Amino acid sequence: MKYLLVLAVIAFAIGLWRSRRRQQAAPAKPGRGRLAPPQDMVECAHCGLHLPRSEAVEAAGSSYCSAQHLAQSRAPRR
Ligand SMILES: [Zn+2]
């Protein structure tokens, strides 16, 4: 009878351990605050590269991927 109790405790511990492992191994569900919120994407008016609005250089209603492309699009074409 004593062994039956020990067996029950061990079985309970193994069950608990396995359920915890399953929770850790489960892949993270998309959304629900784990990922950064989506950002607006803009296109560089010079080279056409798409990039987040927060990283773009904006001038005169157009967006550019870098200050260099802003300068190149402003400079007269040769
Ligand atoms: Zn560009």
Side-chain angles (χ1 to χ4, degrees):
M1 191 64 195
K2 195 170 81 179
Y3 295 109
L4 199 66
L5 188 68
V6 170
L7 202 69
V9 169
I10 288 172
F12 178 74
I14 288 173
L16 201 70
W17 176 68
R18 286 185 64 173
S19 71
R20 280 192 182 175
R21 276 190 56 158
R22 205 174 303 141
Q23 282 174 3
Q24 287 171 356
K29 288 173 185 168
R32 302 277 170 185
R34 279 182 174 265
L35 299 172
Q39 295 185 43
D40 281 352
M41 297 296 281
V42 293
E43 185 179 357
C44 176
H46 185 73
C47 68
L49 179 79
H50 287 81
L51 70 161
R53 187 180 294 279
S54 61
E55 293 175 25
V57 180
E58 303 221 12
S62 298
S63 302
Y64 300 91
C65 65
S66 62
Q68 187 184 4
H69 279 181
L70 169 63
Q72 283 178 6
S73 68
R74 279 183 169 174
R77 295 266 166 91
R78 278 173 283 168

